[in-house]
Amino acid sequence: MRMQAAVLRAGDGPFVVEEVDIADPGPGQVLVRIAAVGFCHTDVLPRGEGFPARPPIIAGHEGAGVVEALGPGVTEPPVGSHVLLSFDHCGACENCLDGHPAYCRSFLQRNLTGTGTETGSQPVTDAEGKPVASRWFGQSSFATHAVVDVRNTIVVDPDLPLELLAPLGCGIQTGAGSILLALGVRAGSRVVVFGAGGVGLAAVMAAKVAGAAMIVAVDRHENRLDLAQELGATHVVLGAADDVPRWLRKLTGGGADYVLDTTGVPEVIRDGVDSLRVRGTIGLVGAQSRDLVLGPAALSSGKNVMGILEGDAVPRRFLPQLIELWQQGRFPFERLVRTYPLSEINTPPSGMPRPA
Ligand SMILES: NC(=O)c1ccc[n+]([C@@H]2O[C@H](COP(=O)([O-])OP(=O)(O)OC[C@H]3O[C@@H](n4cnc5c(N)ncnc54)[C@H](O)[C@@H]3O)[C@@H](O)[C@H]2O)c1
Ligand SMILES: [Zn+2]
Ligand SMILES: [Zn+2]
């Protein structure tokens, strides 16, 4: 079938909106007409030399849309279902069976290579008949359509606004799940979040849901910190400030119980570890580009470092919970969302949306 997709042709080039062909869904798959897709920071990683996924590739992994066709043998979700898309997983390895699909044995292959587990064939071919990497997170949803595994669909109420829900599938799930599921933030605790982008601000909102007594957001952009405060941060720190850990230890009366790093910057992570109190835990979600070096005594007082993928969430369980919290007004992630057409993918509106 003919469709449109934003193809990244070169690491340093723009996304090119092209007419391409997408195959029919195979066994275990459905065809989804994409109504909206979030833009997560991870979608720019295929631009980097040495990253497992390389151009030409269709990125996009926070798709939301309507099921349009079913592969052979598939009966659920029926045609017409409204679905969110999240990360791909096998459903059969020990971690999938344990209820931790983000740690699926084949997570890297399925989500971050762009080509998935099948070698050679790709669902999308370009006008010249050449294959385009189109299994990014099992969906490649910077496009009008996507072929996805049934396991990667989360059915939602058709009355809900798909363009708003799309980013739940990765960035917001990651920030919220890191706080509520992976770190298990407790009521009354002290939480510091480094980086107030989509992931970090979702973490701030989730820390408020969890009943944290102190929620500190750290970023280099003042407007993001303003928004963090409106979403529940009790304190904010401009990242350029001197000696952030000392300041944070003082503010928290000895250090944070939990830190979440969404920047991936090794120096910031080190500051995060130094901002923890005894037995505190730092969660790492930011894509890290360089080695992390910690001093010999950095972790000696029972501190923990936890790498986290996708908030350790089971999307079919967690996304409906986030939607319910949103409906109750307790998780106002609509404040992070701004919409624009696919044709403007190279020039998205800058900054975070401001309150109406
Ligand atoms: N582990 C996962 O499963 C997972 C899932 C989604 C996203 N990610 C990764 O999480 C990270 C955050 O994603 P995002 O969409 O929120 O990105 P983003 O770019 O919107 O946010 C990152 C924020 O960090 C801030 N920052 C950067 N360097 C800083 C510094 N030195 N001091 C203070 N603040 C600093 C930036 O100003 C920005 O506001 C990305 O690296 C992304 O690839 C990981
Ligand atoms: Zn698995
Ligand atoms: Zn993502």
Side-chain angles (χ1 to χ4, degrees), residues 40-42 45 170-171 174 195-200 218-221 224 239 262-263 265 268 285-287 308-310:
C40 171
H41 185 107
T42 305
L45 300 184
C170 180
T174 296
V199 176
V218 187
D219 203 290
R220 293 180 303 189
H221 298 290
R224 293 189 166 203
T262 76
T263 72
V265 178
V268 175
V285 301
I308 306 172
L309 277 177
E310 299 291 341

Side-chain angles (χ1 to χ4, degrees), residues 122-134:
Q122 290 294 299
V124 174
T125 45
D126 66 14
E128 290 176 8
K130 292 191 179 138
V132 178
S134 42

